[in-house]
Amino acid sequence: IMKLAKSSSGVTYRVIDFLKRENLIDVDRLTTENNSSQIITNVNWKKILEEWSKEYSFQDSNSVVNYLEPRGIQEVLKNLKRFPKMEYALTGSIAAQRWESYAPSKQLTIFAKYPKDLAKDLGLREVIVGANVQIASTPDDSIYDRNSVEDGFSYASISQVVLDLL
């Protein structure tokens, strides 16, 4: 966990203790002759994401700019295939459609390392109302660590997509 989260052992142990106290994870102790360690045996992802979403807001936790593509989001998607996959991540309802289709997306939500450059290259116009594309930047590049590439698009991790929708 320390390596994945790029955090210190102290922070990692405090987080694990917190998650155990809140019944968000189950931990068993694994003891061998020379070592004793903890193994996470169950993670309550639904509850973790619900709790996390109480403190996270897509709009407030990121720098978000609204844009308009008059020809619709399908035009943006067509053009987006030209860009390096690790410089952006689709999120929101368009990304969720990979797991559950429910209604056509009317808005495209994207994380981008270079949001203004991406918007310019896609020919988007910045607007205050009537946006059909939102491009967000975040100070933490870890958003791109667990991207997946499918059908030529880069998608945020499932946990990030769920969090952004919540």
Side-chain angles (χ1 to χ4, degrees), residues 41-53:
T41 57
N42 185 46
V43 178
N44 186 339
W45 283 109
K46 181 179 180 202
K47 191 171 177 186
I48 284 175
L49 291 170
E50 287 171 347
E51 291 299 317
W52 188 4
S53 73

Side-chain angles (χ1 to χ4, degrees), residues 23-159:
N23 295 317
L24 298 172
I25 62 172
D26 295 328
V27 176
D28 287 342
R29 189 161 289 288
L30 180 64
T31 306
T32 62
E33 285 182 31
N34 302 328
N35 197 4
S36 178
S37 60
Q38 297 181 47
I39 234 173
I40 297 173
T41 57
N42 185 46
V43 178
N44 186 339
W45 283 109
K46 181 179 180 202
K47 191 171 177 186
I48 284 175
L49 291 170
E50 287 171 347
E51 291 299 317
W52 188 4
S53 73
K54 292 177 184 175
E55 296 184 24
Y56 171 87
S57 159
F58 179 80
Q59 294 290 336
D60 297 333
S61 300
N62 304 293
S63 176
V64 180
V65 179
N66 295 312
Y67 295 95
L68 176 66
E69 168 48 78
R71 294 165 293 196
I73 65 171
Q74 291 305 316
E75 183 70 17
V76 179
L77 290 170
K78 180 180 85 176
N79 293 327
L80 200 56
K81 286 192 174 190
R82 301 186 325 239
F83 293 91
K85 303 301 179 254
M86 298 319 289
E87 291 186 6
Y88 76 90
L90 294 171
T91 189
S93 59
I94 197 84
Q97 287 181 356
R98 294 177 303 149
W99 301 289
E100 189 68 36
S101 183
Y102 49 93
S105 294
K106 300 289 185 201
Q107 186 168 57
L108 190 58
T109 309
I110 308 170
F111 282 105
K113 284 189 179 184
Y114 310 103
K116 291 192 183 299
D117 293 341
L118 180 64
K120 181 181 176 192
D121 291 345
L122 290 170
L124 303 175
R125 290 188 315 200
E126 188 172 337
V127 295
I128 295 173
V129 295
N132 58 0
V133 179
Q134 290 185 313
I135 301 180
S137 62
T138 180
D140 186 7
D141 274 352
S142 67
I143 191 102
Y144 306 102
D145 289 348
R146 295 183 312 138
N147 283 9
S148 62
V149 176
E150 294 177 31
D151 299 324
F153 296 109
S154 179
Y155 292 96
S157 67
I158 189 170
S159 56

